[in-house]
Amino acid sequence: MNENSNKKKDISNEDTIIKIINMHKWYGDFHVLNDINLDIKRRERIVVCGPSGSGKSTLIRCINRLEEHQRGQIIVDGIELTKDLKHIEKVRSEVGMVFQHFNLFPHLTILENLTIGPIWVRKISKKEAEDIAMHYLEKVQIVEQAAKFPGQLSGGQQQRVAIARSLCMKPNIMLFDEVTSALDPEMVKEVLDVMISLARDGMTMIVVTHEMGFAKSVAHRVVFMDEGMLIEENEPEEFFNNPQNERTKTFLGQILH
Amino acid sequence: METINENIKKEIVKPPISDVGIIGWTRENLFSSPINAILTLGLLSILWFSIIPLIKWAFITSTWAPDSNCREASGACWSFISANYKIILFGFYPQDVLWRPITAIILLCTLLVISRNRNYWNKYLGYTWLVSLGIMGALLKGGIFGLAPVDIEKWGGIILTLQLSVFGLTASYPLGIALALGRQSKFPVIKTFCVFYIELIRGVPLISLLFMSSVVFPLFLPEGVSINAILRAQVAIILFTAAYIAEVVRGGLQGMNKGQFEAADAIGLNYAQTMRLIILPQALKIVIPPSVSVLISAFKDTSLVIIIGLHDLLRTTQVALSEPKWMGFSSEAYLFLAVIYFLCCFFMSTYSRKLEKELDTGL
């Protein structure tokens, strides 16, 4: 971990890629997200943590409009998310997302899972899409499984395929929604390794996770959420060693033992 | 650890001989308890007293030649079939040009068998189907290529049954899918229409729809316009079956994991792409067994067109039976009919099982 400073390139000169201003969301009467304000810079890596039900997944799902916010603004790379389908499509083509339960398409082979987006959304040729897919499969080290179906792979392999599938769309931003929570413990590392190598390439990443080791070594900023509010945000060192808020302290006490 | 390893002896232990093989199986499955033993013996005796006479009746004391006198035969009189098969299978189609429907049916069956293999599913097979359907139509209807024209009203027997079912089933399936998607639509107008349609159609018997198509519907047509009775029955069957397919498909759609929609959204696929590439292939696979049940029952229901005076397979059999010479041989006639229907249904159900196996990707 002593090479932290090497890994984390300075991002203070980068422009803001995601801007969330006074954003609120309700499920019925339940206030899931309460006045969220967050600026994220290009190439910045943010870890979002918090107790379950605190709204952290909902927050990142709002960024690619899997969930709709009801008040405030979300601006992704200059495009504001509104009901306008054109804007939503544009944002989704720039934002990749990886889910807790992989959500690979079980009826398609690994290769087809990777090429379906590029072929149908980015309208490139099948040959070209397959080249891109093989490139990313190589990056996540599953080339030899390309012809298999998702059901034949282990959880860790499936999650790496899911990451590669998002990367094939050449996104500027990657969202990770508790991507290691559904994995057997011995498979967590292989997925985290892929994410670390992505970080090294300078990808903008927003990661909801309980892997505090990952947060410490990779994140520029750690954001703590509780009851739909941003409670505290800080650089990892400060966040873990010197938490300010009582709720943060309780939470860290619970997960770090 | 070492001591444990040493204690394990590498020895192949076989189960006792009485637990395996035929003896083991029989004991396990047929005579495992006194009650089971009594049931087994009871069933065996029932089989003995029913199967033996049936075989005797159907195959040993039966007569087969078309000109033999059935009243004298003690067993089954298959002469009824051999004497009347032309009427039963082809109805009132002109007897001198029967090669035309026969060719058409062979062509259809060949195509159906070829289409069983998914490796051949491409656009050329689609074109082949279109061209073949044209050829079949030309063969049956005549009037071109020097073929004598045959009035559509004369198409009967297996021609009509196959026509009603092949078109009925292939047209109702996509219509049913569209209705199922419509029922889940975000637009209230489409949704309401689909719900209303499905509930209305499922709420009435097919017979009443057939009656309406043959009696009520023509009243609304302008003077002088008439739509062929077969076509009207065909439409009624399609509309009816589609409603059932729609509900089956809806079940499959609801069984889909929400994550699949989200993943498709996150990649940026639009609604049509998501449905066509991601959701329907999986949902339709899940509902293969119930869809085939619907299709099989729709196939058998085509025989209901008898009540609006169309001469399908069942009706032509009755026509043959109504001849004084053959009165009283309905067992043979209906058994023959049952075999034909069974073969068609069996084709569908074995195919559906094959398809299920092929589409199984282990998740």
Side-chain angles (χ1 to χ4, degrees), chain A residues 20 54 64 66 73 84 91 94 114 117 126 128 131-132 142 160 164 166 191 198 201 206 226 232-233 247:
Chain A
I20 302 176
S54 58
N64 70 346
L66 286 183
Q73 283 180 299
D84 190 339
V91 166
E94 290 199 22
L114 266 65
K126 191 174 174 216
E128 205 181 327
D131 289 345
I132 297 174
I142 341 199
R160 284 186 280 149
S166 293
V191 172
L198 257 184
D201 297 346
I206 306 171
D226 195 14
E232 183 166 350
E233 57 170 289
R247 285 196 250 179

Side-chain angles (χ1 to χ4, degrees), chain B residues 57-98:
Chain B
W57 175 80
F59 298 107
I60 297 170
T61 56
S62 55
T63 45
W64 298 78
D67 47 0
S68 53
N69 188 349
C70 274
R71 309 279 167 202
E72 287 165 5
S74 57
C77 179
W78 301 116
S79 316
F80 168 75
I81 309 297
S82 46
N84 291 305
Y85 72 94
K86 282 182 185 166
I87 298 245
I88 294 177
L89 291 180
F90 303 107
F92 303 115
Y93 205 90
Q95 303 252 332
D96 49 335
V97 287
L98 280 187

Side-chain angles (χ1 to χ4, degrees), chain A residues 61 64 66 89 92-93 95 97 99 103-108 113 116-117 120-121 123 149-152 165 169, chain B residues 257-270 273 276-279 281-282 285 360-363:
Chain A
R61 289 158 60 88
N64 70 346
L66 286 183
E89 275 171 27
R92 282 180 180 162
S93 72
V95 181
M97 182 158 191
F99 301 87
N103 296 349
L104 294 177
F105 306 128
H107 62 300
L108 301 176
N113 263 282
I116 196 164
W120 291 92
V121 181
K123 314 273 182 207
F149 287 98
Q152 297 164 304
R165 178 175 68 179
M169 293 300 290
Chain B
N257 186 336
K258 220 175 107 226
Q260 293 289 309
F261 291 92
E262 289 179 353
D265 277 348
I267 287 178
L269 297 172
N270 62 30
Q273 290 167 338
R276 189 161 72 84
L277 303 168
I278 309 296
I279 304 302
Q282 297 182 62
K285 190 188 92 188
D360 183 21
T361 57
L363 198 80

Side-chain angles (χ1 to χ4, degrees), chain A residues 131-150:
Chain A
D131 289 345
I132 297 174
M134 291 314 281
H135 169 77
Y136 284 110
L137 279 180
E138 214 162 297
K139 195 171 163 64
V140 301
Q141 297 171 2
I142 341 199
V143 178
E144 64 282 5
Q145 319 276 18
K148 290 192 183 168
F149 287 98

Side-chain angles (χ1 to χ4, degrees), chain B residues 231-248:
Chain B
L231 187 62
R232 277 182 274 142
Q234 180 86 74
V235 171
I237 288 171
I238 292 172
L239 295 181
F240 185 78
T241 311
Y244 283 84
I245 291 287
E247 283 301 273
V248 166

Side-chain angles (χ1 to χ4, degrees), chain A residues 163-192:
Chain A
I163 295 174
R165 178 175 68 179
S166 293
L167 293 176
C168 282
M169 293 300 290
K170 302 262 169 87
N172 294 325
I173 303 162
M174 285 285 285
L175 309 173
F176 293 86
D177 189 0
E178 306 207 24
V179 291
T180 54
S181 322
L183 294 176
D184 289 336
E186 78 269 23
M187 295 170 179
V188 170
K189 186 172 177 298
E190 63 187 59
V191 172
L192 289 181

Side-chain angles (χ1 to χ4, degrees), chain A residues 13-14 29-30 50 75 82 104 110 143 163 173 205 221:
Chain A
N13 293 330
E14 299 280 355
D29 283 340
F30 180 58
I75 300 160
T82 57
L104 294 177
I110 300 305
V143 178
I163 295 174
I173 303 162
M205 293 163 76
R221 247 195 303 168

